[in-house]
């Protein structure tokens, strides 16, 4: 295993301000896009329970447990004698740096938070690289003196121990930049929508563990991807979703989204919001309870209550409606009204012929070109998005509406800037292709290095076609 740099932040007595300083350093480094892991002492070999905003990862041996904090860094609890084991556990998450709180007697390089009177003691510490002092005192030769200010210490750590990360996006053979990753977290679902394309997954072989999801996100971020959308199956069925979202932000993803059927949203909205989620897509094919049940098998009330809970928290909601002939195409106005009433955005989606019965597709597919024309005439204004093939957003009586026409729009693929990862960890360059998969998870489970895994990602990107064929 490759070990990241590890540093001990130490002091000689409690109350020296070590913990506050450490928290500040973590906040700054994670904001800068570095993956930070913190190792703390633990009196017992406890496996800490998952609180509402923490996620208990997994027992890792007898002497360390890990917690993915909702603010996106990883905490490992360890007994001091087990520091090498704790670093080993932390390294499985591939952090850029491991910060150890305490561990004065370890052989790690140390940043010592000291009073000026303790400088003499400090110089006796093995491997001290910097003193953090509240007062301005004469520097000690060979040791950097830093003010008790997390920004200054974080900058010192970056310059001394971290290497700048690649942020230039990958580009495919047709000049399309790969800016986003759409990651399926599970194929389990609590609904059974008649139209579901299952994100183009045939028969997935199991699901990724949390650490595997995090590793793929980190690789994607290192390869310059800026946006991530979590899908499924139903992503809210995964208990670790909050931690995954928080980690994504900590990695520096600028835009983190989730697409959900909303059945569990009322219960989980607060936790997801606390993890940083600010926008989601909500699948809603009808606002008539009977029609909704006949399409999805679920209860419309759960979705409405989930939507209301999300909106109360200020989460931006885009309602996704797959339009089907004879089922909901004549009630688009009602959905429009509903979306407006709930201060949401609306996205009308053309039915895609994927994992569907041929007869089903032909019977229910509606070309939305006419609907788009009609909206264009009725809209107060039209805004072109700078991406997604400059897709238009029509503002109709204050409601933003988008039309997604993957089927009847010949230019759809030219605006594609994202790549998919299936729930069983395969890179899938095109939603519509089942025969073009790159087994990232297989590589992870075979112990591949980051560089080799990134190589696989790059192969997937260079296999992208100009359009679906
Ligand atoms: N369970 C989640 C949900 O309902 O949003 C995520 C999975 S669902 C497969 C993701 C998105 O795919 C939803 O927005 C849904 O409307 C869309 N979708 C599913 N089947 C489709 C199809 N045949 N054609 C077009 N869009 C489809």
């Amino acid at each position: 295993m490759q070990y990241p740099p590890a540093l001990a932040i130490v002091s000689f007595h409690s109350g020296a301000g070590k913990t506050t300083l450490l928290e500040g350093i973590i906040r700054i480094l994670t904001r800068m896009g570095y993956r930070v892991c913190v190792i703390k002492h633990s009196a017992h070999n406890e496996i800490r329970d998952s609180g509402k905003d923490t996620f208990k990862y997994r027992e890792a041996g007898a002497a360390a447990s890990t917690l993915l904090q909702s603010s996106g860094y990883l905490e490992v609890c360890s007994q001091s004698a087990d520091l090498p084991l704790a670093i080993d556990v932390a390294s499985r998450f591939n952090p850029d740096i491991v910060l150890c709180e305490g561990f004065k007697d370890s052989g790690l390089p140390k940043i010592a938070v000291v009073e000026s009177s303790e400088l003499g003691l400090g110089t006796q510490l093995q491997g001290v690289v910097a003193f953090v002092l509240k007062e301005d005192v004469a520097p000690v030769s060979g040791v950097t003196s830093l003010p008790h200010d997390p920004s200054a210490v974080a900058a010192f750590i970056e310059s001394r121990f971290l290497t700048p990360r690649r942020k230039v996006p990958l580009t495919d053979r047709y000049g399309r930049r790969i800016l986003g990753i759409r990651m399926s977290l599970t194929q389990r679902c609590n609904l059974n929508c008649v139209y579901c394309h299952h994100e183009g997954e045939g028969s997935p072989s199991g699901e990724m563990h949390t650490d595997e999801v995090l590793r793929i996100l980190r690789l994607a971020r290192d390869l310059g991807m800026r946006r991530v959308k979590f899908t499924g199956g139903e992503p809210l069925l995964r208990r670790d979703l909050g931690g995954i979202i928080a980690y994504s932000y900590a990695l520096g993803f600028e835009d983190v989204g989730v697409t959900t059927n909303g059945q569990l949203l009322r219960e989980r909205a607060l936790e997801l919001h606390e993890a940083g989620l600010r926008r989601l897509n909500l699948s809603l094919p009808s606002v008539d309870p009977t029609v909704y049940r006949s399409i999805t098998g679920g209860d419309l009330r759960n979705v409405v209550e989930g939507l209301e809970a999300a909106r109360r928290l200020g989460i931006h909601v885009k309602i996704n409606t797959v339009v089907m002939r004879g089922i909901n195409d004549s009630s688009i106005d009602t959905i429009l009204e509903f979306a407006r009433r709930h201060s949401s955005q609306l996205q009308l989606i053309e039915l895609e012929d994927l994992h569907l019965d041929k007869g089903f597709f032909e019977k229910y597919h509606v070309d939305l070109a006419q609907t788009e024309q009609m909206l264009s005439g009725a809209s107060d204004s039209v805004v072109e998005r700078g991406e997604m093939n400059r897709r238009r957003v029509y503002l109709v009586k204050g409601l933003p509406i988008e039309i997604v026409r993957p089927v009847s729009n010949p230019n759809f693929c030219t605006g594609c800037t994202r790549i998919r990862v299936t729930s069983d960890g395969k890179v899938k360059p095109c939603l519509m292709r089942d025969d073009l998969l790159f087994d990232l998870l297989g590589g992870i489970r075979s112990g591949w290095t980051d560089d080799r895994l990134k190589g696989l990602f790059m192969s997937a990107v260079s296999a992208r076609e100009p359009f679906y064929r």
Side-chain angles (χ1 to χ4, degrees), residues 195-197 199 231-234 259-261 283 320 322 350 352:
Y195 56 78
C196 187
H197 58 29
E199 298 286 349
T231 181
E234 176 48 40
T259 172
T260 173
N261 60 34
S283 294
N320 280 358
V322 176
E350 224 174 74
E352 280 172 289

Side-chain angles (χ1 to χ4, degrees), residues 226-230 241 244-250 252-258 275-280:
R226 299 170 188 170
R227 296 190 289 261
V228 57
K229 169 87 65 77
F230 297 108
L241 183 61
I244 292 172
I245 290 169
Y247 186 81
S248 307
Y249 278 113
F253 279 101
E254 292 157 14
D255 187 8
V256 181
V258 169
L277 188 71
R278 293 296 176 266
R279 68 180 201 87
L280 56 82

Side-chain angles (χ1 to χ4, degrees), residues 55 57 68 208-215 238 240 244:
F55 172 70
Y57 165 60
L68 180 60
M208 292 178 277
H209 299 305
T210 313
D211 55 338
E212 293 161 344
V213 170
L214 304 187
R215 181 138 182 226
R238 279 197 66 141
D240 52 359
I244 292 172

Side-chain angles (χ1 to χ4, degrees), residues 149-167:
D149 168 8
S151 314
V153 183
F156 170 77
I157 292 174
E158 186 186 35
S159 68
R160 190 67 87 82
F161 295 95
L162 294 164
T163 37
R165 314 250 307 279
R166 178 195 157 105
K167 293 272 164 35

